[in-house]
Amino acid sequence: MTELTDEKTTDQRQASIADDPMQVVQVGLDDGYAYTKVALPDGRLVSVPSRARMGAAGVTWIRDVEQRIFEYETAGTVYSVGAVDGEPTQFDEYPGSALNRVIVQHALQEAGLSGRSLHLVTGLPVAAFYRGDGQQRRQAIQTKRDGLKLTVEPVVAKKSSTRQALKASIAFHEVIPEALAAWYDFVIVTLDDGVTLDADRLNAPIAIVDIGGRTTDYVVVQDQGVVHGSSGSLNRGMLDLKLRVANLIQERFDLHELGEQIISRAVDTNRLRLHGKDHDVSDMVMNAKRELVERLYAETRRKLGLGVELDRILFVGGGSAALSSDIADWFPNQTIADHAAFANARGMLKYLQFVCDDASKER
């Protein structure tokens, strides 16, 4: 079970955008609590775990090409990002935090955007973007918008003469609701000769269910309007599954704690390696997954009912890919998006390219 099923997306770090290095690059960036996903105009999709901790790496790499932990400095504090046991991201202030900022910078570096100036669209969970009455949470949106514009410097540039890393600078940053981004991905269709709005998709009543790391988002769009009574966020996602597996492992093996990376591997592979030996933990993963799926099913029914008035129910997010066999028969009119983990990032890029006007880019 894995949240990211598209292997091509994770091994293209060295590919570059063959543009003038002085040209601004447009980026869709879904900076989720479990993974941070990048969509680029040349079609590349890049993902990194949202994994970082405060402090230097404390590791000297024998060969630069094997480096798996990278250091970044923001507001006078050094963070280690990459193959570390990360600090929890499941807190309300994460979208505007320094932890988020260094993880985003690392994702941009991995996407080959070192030294580039960027125009960027990101997202917030639906409940963090809208109040219950549909008004926007302007302070939270502005905090997110301003947070990513703060400087983050790759420390590696100061230590290594063989690896050059310059900060990626964000010149423009817009924020939209995360699941609504997937709606833009759905209605803006890319063709060989350009893009177009699909009129049938644009006007059809549709629900987006976005199963992410910390939250599962719901957005119902009808006649190009968001139906707030059926939209919102549930604070349950794939990170809850990992936390449950961690608790079960600690109980069975009488352990006080385990690193976050070893738990992630156990969930992905159903195997736990302790003292040089592998242990089968598939029953724990299955139990934790069943508990999560039951909770998601109950909330989805509460939000959408039987979905009879909807033309389509579109599942997106890394959780939809990981749980595809468990959610396959919830509705007769449901679909899981292609490369579902990247639907929001693709939609954010399309929103930037085809919705944002010149005036907004100058803010």
Side-chain angles (χ1 to χ4, degrees):
M1 181 177 68
T2 177
E3 296 168 59
L4 296 170
T5 57
D6 187 4
E7 294 298 331
K8 73 174 184 177
T9 62
T10 61
D11 191 26
Q12 299 187 7
R13 195 178 73 189
Q14 300 306 317
S16 61
I17 295 179
D19 291 331
D20 178 352
M22 300 301 292
Q23 183 178 347
V24 172
V25 180
Q26 296 176 315
V27 178
L29 188 141
D30 180 13
D31 50 335
Y33 297 87
Y35 287 91
T36 296
K37 286 84 67 176
V38 177
L40 297 172
D42 60 10
R44 284 188 299 132
L45 301 170
V46 179
S47 173
V48 302
S50 298
R51 185 177 285 156
R53 63 170 172 78
M54 195 179 296
V59 177
T60 300
W61 301 94
I62 297 173
R63 300 174 65 226
D64 284 349
V65 294
E66 301 297 333
Q67 184 172 354
R68 297 172 59 217
I69 304 175
F70 302 86
E71 297 173 1
Y72 299 88
E73 182 175 344
T74 184
T77 301
V78 172
Y79 289 78
S80 298
V81 187
V84 297
D85 286 327
E87 297 177 18
T89 59
Q90 305 100 301
F91 57 97
D92 291 342
E93 294 78 15
Y94 172 72
S97 68
L99 195 66
N100 171 273
R101 204 154 57 239
V102 296
I103 291 171
V104 166
Q105 180 67 213
H106 181 61
L108 298 173
Q109 294 289 328
E110 294 293 279
L113 299 175
S114 173
R116 302 300 295 264
S117 181
L118 311 178
H119 284 176
L120 184 73
V121 170
T122 68
L124 281 170
V126 174
F129 190 93
Y130 289 118
R131 301 182 189 281
D133 60 4
Q135 293 188 51
Q136 294 185 6
R137 298 181 185 273
R138 297 189 181 280
Q139 183 60 48
I141 296 168
Q142 192 63 44
T143 299
K144 174 71 181 285
R145 187 180 290 144
D146 294 342
L148 287 186
K149 289 185 177 180
L150 298 176
T151 295
V152 180
E153 293 282 355
V155 178
V156 66
K158 302 175 183 177
K159 290 186 174 180
S160 171
S161 60
T162 59
R163 177 182 170 89
Q164 296 297 318
L166 303 173
K167 67 179 179 181
S169 301
I170 299 170
F172 167 79
H173 177 203
E174 185 57 283
V175 181
I176 63 177
E178 289 176 351
L180 191 60
W183 180 77
Y184 285 108
D185 180 51
F186 181 67
V187 301
I188 300 174
V189 180
T190 303
L191 305 174
D192 291 340
D193 58 349
V195 298
T196 185
L197 279 173
D198 187 309
D200 292 338
R201 294 183 177 186
L202 194 63
N203 295 310
I206 181 175
I208 307 291
V209 182
D210 176 12
I211 305 175
R214 184 196 185 199
T215 65
T216 294
D217 275 11
Y218 301 87
V219 162
V220 172
V221 181
Q222 186 170 11
D223 298 327
Q224 302 186 47
V226 175
V227 181
H228 288 284
S230 300
S231 304
S233 303
L234 172 70
N235 280 331
R236 290 288 188 281
M238 298 302 290
L239 291 174
D240 292 281
L241 187 156
K242 293 179 180 178
L243 179 60
R244 181 62 175 145
V245 170
N247 291 336
L248 292 171
I249 286 175
Q250 288 176 356
E251 180 179 346
R252 176 178 294 183
F253 294 96
D254 193 23
L255 300 171
H256 291 293
E257 61 180 355
L258 274 176
E260 179 255 336
Q261 292 184 87
I262 195 171
I263 295 297
S264 291
R265 283 195 296 272
V267 171
D268 290 341
T269 65
N270 292 318
R271 308 291 296 177
L272 175 70
R273 192 164 182 83
L274 296 174
H275 301 119
K277 294 182 179 179
D278 285 334
H279 302 268
D280 184 355
V281 294
S282 57
D283 59 332
M284 302 181 205
V285 175
M286 182 177 64
N287 290 338
K289 186 166 68 170
R290 184 180 62 252
E291 292 174 6
L292 175 62
V293 169
E294 288 177 356
R295 183 70 180 88
L296 296 181
Y297 180 79
E299 181 66 9
T300 303
R301 284 298 190 204
R302 193 179 73 81
K303 289 286 189 186
L304 308 181
L306 297 176
V308 294
E309 298 182 8
L310 298 168
D311 276 15
R312 184 188 296 259
I313 297 169
L314 183 65
F315 285 84
V316 303
S320 294
L323 303 174
S324 58
S325 60
D326 301 277
I327 64 175
D329 59 353
W330 284 8
F331 301 94
N333 51 341
Q334 72 178 57
T335 307
I336 296 178
D338 292 339
H339 305 310
F342 292 94
N344 282 343
R346 287 193 308 253
M348 291 164 184
L349 177 62
K350 290 179 180 178
Y351 182 89
L352 176 61
Q353 292 176 313
F354 309 118
V355 179
C356 290
D357 57 27
D358 292 338
S360 68
K361 292 179 180 178
E362 294 173 356
R363 283 185 296 179

